Amino acid sequence: MAQVEMRPPIESGCPDGFQYMHPMMRKNYGRWKWHDHPRPGVLRHVAHSGDTIWTVKAGTQRILDLFTLRKLTGIAKSHADGYIHFTLRSNIEFMVTEEDRVQPLIDELEGNGYIVGGTANSVAMISHTQGWLHCDIPGTDASGVVKSMMDELIDEFRNCNMPNRVHITTSCCQINCGGQGDIAINIQHTKPPRIDHTKVGNVCERPSVVARCPVAAIRPAMVDGKPSLEVDEKKCICCGACFPPCPPMQINDAEYSQLAIWVGGNHSNARSKPTFQKLVAAGIPNNPPRWPEATAIVKNILAQYKEGAKDWERINDWIERIGWPRFFEVTGLPFTKYHVDNWRGARNSLNASTHIRF
Amino acid sequence: MADNKHYDTPMLDELENGPWPSFITGIKNLRDNHPKDEIRSMTNGLLGQLEHSYETRKGYWKGGTISVFGYGGGIIPRFSEVASSFPESKEFHTIRVQPPAGNFYTADMLEQLADSWEKYGSGLVTFHGQTGNIMFIGTDNKQFQHFFDEINDYGWDLGGAGPCVRTGMSCVGAARCEQSCASEHAIHRHLMNNFTDDVHRPALPYKFKFKVSGCPNDCQNAIERADFAVIGTWRDEMIVDQDEVKAYVKAKGREHVIDNVTSRCPTAALTLNDDDTLTVDNSNCVRCMHCLNVMPKALTPGNDKGVTILIGGKRTLKIGDLMGTVLVPFMKLETEEDYERIVEMAEEIIDFWAENGLEHERCGEMIERIGLVNFIEGIGVDVDPNMISSPRQCSYVRMDGWDEEAEKWFARQREAKQAS
């Protein structure tokens, strides 16, 4: 470190957001009365005081370069009083207090290539992980998958034609930083790690690698006189958990790391209790730069959902109503032995009734 | 370095096609048009390595351990495994910075951050990573300390990385949402800033996340993803504006309202009356939010607001997905004492987990291993029927403490009655 004098950090923690909050939001904090949705990408919130604020939401490329960031701050300054809010899914929101400023703001955003939408019954921006751009354990890219997929789903982002909102996520490994979604596209490794025994002893803290394995498939071993690790390949579930603490246990593979698609994750408590996503498709090639196979399956699921679901049903609500056999029928996806859970608690997912649709 | 040869990127070039904004175009713009040599060079190396990943379908970053002076974590170190081919981005660390509660910014503040990042980084930034941080992506060993010092001086602090309390997340909430039942902002900052030391110095079994959603729609995905989820709710009657109900019925028709509002109520707590008013059986309402979502003008949360706290949500590693479990069905959060109480509860939980959790074991996994009863006894919380979906089904349990436990229940009931 070239620095001469080191100074202790100022441990200020999480900053107070009020200092950056639009004054109309500050003024009416906790006193909003109702909202509506004048058009896709726009929300109107009305306070008990009668104050009104319009929000315009836009999708971006998420990995922002400084030119783009400054373009967005410039739009905020010239059209939205200089205030910006970001959503959980990395969408940018601008707020205005006069209705006649909404359209010029939309025009400015769209004129600069940003996509206005993402509200109400749309397919929201796909939340994603870092992928090959920056992660140390990625089985695929994330930004590229999302860019490719959003190109195809753009009309679903800027319109609100779905039965309810659709959240899509991608994760470039099964640790699943990308999150749950109505549809989740995650990498699935299908072969045990390949071990470079010349490096394990020097690079890995072996007990902690052994401890991480969820199925106790990893054991200490001596290989060619050197301390290493071995994997019981019959037990191994190819989760990849050993790879982060021990990179010589390579899990990523150009051919055998494939994409899998999961559906029905719904974090809201609305109607039913929150649900985790369930496996529907696997063995999808990890096929850069456009991943067309994964996108085709996602589009097919979305089309069936749009066709078959009732108003307000999320994907999990729709499948719950029509049943899983019908889901596989309408989507044409194969149902295999891999869809039957065999992990702990698996019996809870089996059908102990005659509730069967014919 | 101005004449630095560009790496060919035929596969990445494909990602510049199509209508959605392209991150590749953004990175190329830095590479081609940024006035700083370092930024042009670093983004060139990044594109070269990324293209290599696309060609070989593998990642080439490895981690390490670096942090700013005085902290143990908060930076994601990245060293390239293919630095001999792409030396310009051989060090490419990400700085995690805690955003303001609710993710509010001014353009001026963002520009100030951009100016600092321009001095010391690659020019790439994300608002926000899935853990909630602002991600300043790509700086080297020489620069990260300077960048941190500069932004730290004007009010920003690092977020968590590694086995520590992670950066918190909260929804837009009371700032712009009529469904907010809490001051997400205040909860977020009270909890996070009490654990600042645990954010910066990773010494816990594994990560611990706080997330705050102002209502059960849970826009922050807290129940599924937070070790400590705070969800706004209310316990008195939902507020019904009957004129707005009538207006909605008139606009949409009775069939629509029956199909989309009353029939969708998970506990059959709604009745659409013959005069187009709505009756709510509040004692059976589970505050799921569905009807409020459909008719936001007519229906709003009650006045007696507070929060539900759920513990132990997480994703896959190591034992599979776990939802958070209800720990406190309802807690008022109005006075300073209320906030002290929630902070103390979080301290009890983190202390207990730090002592009893195994290496790399999330709080929810520890609860799974030791049982919820041992956990709540460990942190001093009484058992409550709201903690379960159903009582035990398995009869294999030793129950010789039954009478004392039953008496505890009746004593608590008497106490609650006297207090009310």
Side-chain angles (χ1 to χ4, degrees):
Chain A
M1 187 72 52
Q3 213 168 31
V4 183
E5 256 185 74
M6 304 296 276
R7 70 143 176 77
I10 304 159
E11 298 203 46
S12 49
C14 170
D16 185 350
F18 282 103
Q19 61 188 318
Y20 308 125
M21 196 185 286
H22 193 288
M24 189 61 95
M25 293 161 110
R26 225 160 30 214
K27 179 185 168 199
N28 293 289
Y29 188 84
R31 293 194 290 274
W32 294 96
K33 192 171 181 210
W34 56 270
H35 79 278
D36 64 1
H37 184 233
R39 55 152 282 181
V42 179
L43 300 168
R44 172 173 57 179
H45 287 84
V46 178
H48 286 282
S49 62
D51 288 342
T52 303
I53 198 163
W54 279 264
T55 299
V56 176
K57 181 185 282 198
T60 72
Q61 58 271 58
R62 188 171 182 270
I63 306 282
L64 303 177
D65 59 281
L66 288 180
F67 292 118
T68 298
L69 180 62
R70 290 207 175 95
K71 174 70 77 179
L72 291 165
T73 56
I75 292 172
K77 283 178 161 175
S78 56
H79 288 81
D81 304 324
Y83 293 91
I84 285 171
H85 173 247
F86 285 98
T87 70
L88 175 76
R89 313 184 84 74
S90 301
N91 293 307
I92 192 165
E93 292 185 336
F94 301 93
M95 284 68 63
V96 294
T97 50
E98 297 85 21
E99 187 172 11
D100 59 7
R101 295 172 70 193
V102 171
Q103 193 58 47
L105 173 54
I106 292 172
D107 294 343
E108 182 74 8
L109 283 165
E110 290 183 338
N112 281 286
Y114 304 108
I115 318 299
V116 173
T119 50
N121 296 356
S122 63
V123 175
M125 168 62 176
I126 301 174
S127 70
H128 68 86
T129 51
Q130 299 282 35
W132 288 328
L133 185 80
H134 202 259
C135 182
D136 62 340
I137 47 172
T140 187
D141 199 26
S143 317
V145 172
V146 169
K147 155 69 180 160
S148 303
M149 221 167 259
M150 289 312 292
D151 276 341
E152 304 244 350
L153 299 175
I154 187 165
D155 286 335
E156 306 299 347
F157 180 86
R158 55 187 170 201
N159 292 297
C160 300
N161 297 329
M162 288 288 158
N164 200 343
R165 70 192 62 215
V166 179
H167 288 162
I168 303 183
T169 71
T170 68
S171 289
C172 43
C173 82
Q174 286 168 82
I175 296 171
N176 193 218
C177 306
Q180 287 75 25
D182 294 282
I183 303 176
I185 304 109
N186 299 348
I187 202 91
Q188 191 90 19
H189 308 299
T190 62
K191 292 278 186 205
R194 278 172 292 107
I195 306 176
D196 182 347
H197 293 290
T198 62
K199 290 189 182 156
V200 171
N202 293 331
V203 175
C204 316
E205 198 182 328
R206 293 189 303 153
S208 73
V209 182
V210 169
R212 279 216 198 176
C213 179
V215 291
I218 303 175
R219 293 184 292 256
M222 294 293 284
V223 180
D224 296 333
K226 285 187 177 169
S228 187
L229 294 164
E230 64 182 10
V231 172
D232 180 341
E233 297 203 348
K234 280 194 181 137
K235 274 190 184 174
C236 176
I237 52 166
C238 312
C239 72
C242 51
F243 180 55
C246 191
M249 300 183 76
Q250 178 60 255
I251 189 76
N252 293 312
D253 185 281
E255 188 181 348
Y256 293 113
S257 293
Q258 298 170 332
L259 302 179
I261 292 180
W262 309 67
V263 305
N266 179 3
H267 61 248
S268 173
N269 291 266
R271 299 168 300 283
S272 48
K273 293 181 178 182
T275 52
F276 283 122
Q277 58 210 18
K278 284 102 183 160
L279 175 70
V280 294
I284 305 159
N286 184 16
N287 197 4
R290 299 295 300 197
W291 293 270
E293 300 86 353
T295 301
I297 295 173
V298 168
K299 286 178 79 173
N300 175 32
I301 294 169
L302 283 171
Q304 296 304 327
Y305 164 64
K306 194 170 172 179
E307 168 83 22
K310 296 183 174 180
D311 288 347
W312 293 96
E313 282 182 335
R314 292 280 288 264
I315 287 181
N316 66 318
D317 298 323
W318 165 57
I319 299 172
E320 183 70 21
R321 179 170 58 77
I322 67 169
W324 283 101
R326 190 83 77 231
F327 173 86
F328 285 97
E329 188 184 316
V330 299
T331 54
L333 294 167
F335 183 81
T336 70
K337 68 177 184 180
Y338 297 106
H339 291 96
V340 181
D341 198 352
N342 59 358
W343 192 245
R344 63 180 69 181
R347 272 201 99 77
N348 292 328
S349 68
L350 306 182
N351 182 15
S353 76
T354 59
H355 290 192
I356 293 167
R357 294 165 177 85
F358 295 107
Chain B
M1 280 204 277
D3 53 353
N4 210 7
K5 187 181 173 304
H6 288 179
Y7 297 106
D8 286 338
T9 55
M11 291 183 96
L12 299 182
D13 295 349
E14 293 287 330
L15 290 170
E16 294 193 90
N17 300 325
W20 193 265
S22 171
F23 68 109
I24 295 296
T25 304
I27 302 174
K28 280 190 183 174
N29 203 6
L30 290 173
R31 179 195 67 182
D32 299 340
N33 300 316
H34 200 279
K36 271 191 77 180
D37 286 347
E38 291 88 340
I39 286 182
R40 288 201 306 277
S41 168
M42 203 179 219
T43 47
N44 185 35
L46 176 73
L47 286 167
Q49 176 169 336
L50 190 58
E51 176 74 19
H52 184 57
S53 279
Y54 271 60
E55 284 166 0
T56 56
R57 288 186 263 176
K58 273 170 71 176
Y60 296 97
W61 299 109
K62 60 185 173 187
T65 43
I66 61 167
S67 190
V68 299
F69 178 69
Y71 287 174
I75 296 181
I76 315 291
R78 288 290 177 259
F79 298 91
S80 173
E81 290 178 319
V82 285
S84 56
S85 303
F86 313 102
E88 305 90 341
S89 55
K90 64 181 181 190
E91 294 153 9
F92 203 72
H93 316 312
T94 281
I95 315 247
R96 283 186 170 173
V97 172
Q98 287 196 60
N103 297 342
F104 302 102
Y105 299 90
T106 59
D108 288 340
M109 177 45 82
L110 288 173
E111 285 172 2
Q112 191 178 11
L113 285 168
D115 291 347
S116 297
W117 189 232
E118 194 149 54
K119 278 194 231 169
Y120 302 115
S122 72
L124 294 174
V125 59
T126 291
F127 296 88
H128 304 85
Q130 287 291 303
T131 290
N133 298 283
I134 314 168
M135 308 288 275
F136 290 93
I137 306 168
T139 185
D140 63 20
N141 288 354
K142 291 196 191 76
Q143 307 279 352
F144 71 86
Q145 181 76 47
H146 297 297
F147 175 72
F148 172 71
D149 285 346
E150 186 163 309
I151 67 165
N152 187 229
D153 272 341
Y154 60 79
W156 300 88
D157 202 355
L158 289 193
C164 64
V165 171
R166 295 293 182 87
T167 298
M169 295 175 81
S170 53
C171 64
V172 67
R176 200 197 56 202
C177 183
E178 73 278 4
Q179 294 177 336
S180 164
C181 296
S183 179
E184 303 79 8
H185 212 96
I187 298 167
H188 181 146
R189 294 191 75 231
H190 271 92
L191 286 170
M192 283 312 301
N193 290 344
N194 183 70
F195 291 100
T196 297
D197 185 49
D198 289 301
V199 172
H200 295 140
R201 295 169 190 86
L204 295 171
Y206 197 16
K207 64 182 93 163
F208 192 95
K209 298 182 179 182
F210 291 103
K211 295 191 197 297
V212 186
S213 288
C215 84
N217 280 320
D218 192 4
C219 288
Q220 292 303 296
N221 212 349
I223 296 174
E224 288 182 347
R225 293 190 67 105
D227 301 271
F228 191 109
V230 184
I231 310 287
T233 189
W234 70 96
R235 62 180 171 187
D236 60 343
E237 299 186 345
M238 182 195 304
I239 296 168
V240 183
D241 183 331
Q242 297 291 4
D243 289 339
E244 289 292 349
V245 175
K246 286 180 191 168
Y248 188 84
V249 177
K250 195 171 175 200
K252 297 280 189 177
R254 287 182 68 81
E255 185 178 334
H256 175 94
V257 177
I258 290 166
D259 283 352
N260 287 290
V261 184
T262 53
S263 302
R264 293 276 156 75
C265 175
T267 53
L270 299 176
T271 308
L272 182 65
N273 303 311
D274 286 344
D275 62 355
D276 290 348
T277 58
L278 190 74
T279 300
V280 183
D281 173 7
N282 280 286
S283 66
N284 272 315
C285 170
V286 291
R287 281 90 180 143
C288 87
M289 299 304 292
H290 171 74
C291 60
L292 292 90
N293 293 340
V294 181
M295 300 199 294
K297 268 189 183 173
L299 306 176
T300 36
N303 291 314
D304 188 10
K305 297 182 168 89
V307 299
T308 301
I309 299 172
L310 300 96
I311 294 297
K314 58 169 279 289
R315 261 299 272 172
T316 313
L317 263 182
K318 170 177 166 180
I319 66 169
D321 309 82
L322 299 176
M323 290 284 179
T325 294
V326 171
L327 183 70
V328 180
F330 189 84
M331 179 189 269
K332 289 296 280 185
L333 278 180
E334 282 172 356
T335 63
E336 268 311 306
E337 292 75 47
D338 294 337
Y339 282 100
E340 274 170 30
R341 207 146 50 92
I342 194 172
V343 167
E344 279 168 15
M345 174 168 283
E347 283 173 346
E348 285 284 346
I349 289 165
I350 288 179
D351 284 351
F352 181 85
W353 169 62
E355 275 184 30
N356 295 284
L358 303 176
E359 148 101 8
H360 218 255
E361 185 177 58
R362 293 285 286 271
C363 185
E365 293 172 324
M366 175 195 70
I367 295 171
E368 173 91 357
R369 177 168 55 80
I370 67 174
L372 182 68
V373 170
N374 282 324
F375 173 69
I376 61 174
E377 286 181 348
I379 61 165
V381 169
D382 292 326
V383 68
D384 186 293
N386 287 300
M387 293 172 174
I388 56 165
S389 292
S390 73
R392 80 161 55 238
Q393 297 175 49
C394 177
S395 58
Y396 288 167
V397 56
R398 181 170 160 170
M399 292 192 276
D400 45 0
W402 176 272
D403 288 342
E404 296 93 82
E405 292 302 315
E407 182 45 41
K408 282 185 197 167
W409 166 264
F410 289 121
R412 285 203 302 276
Q413 299 291 94
R414 283 194 296 275
E415 254 174 58
K417 206 171 173 185
Q418 278 164 6
S420 63

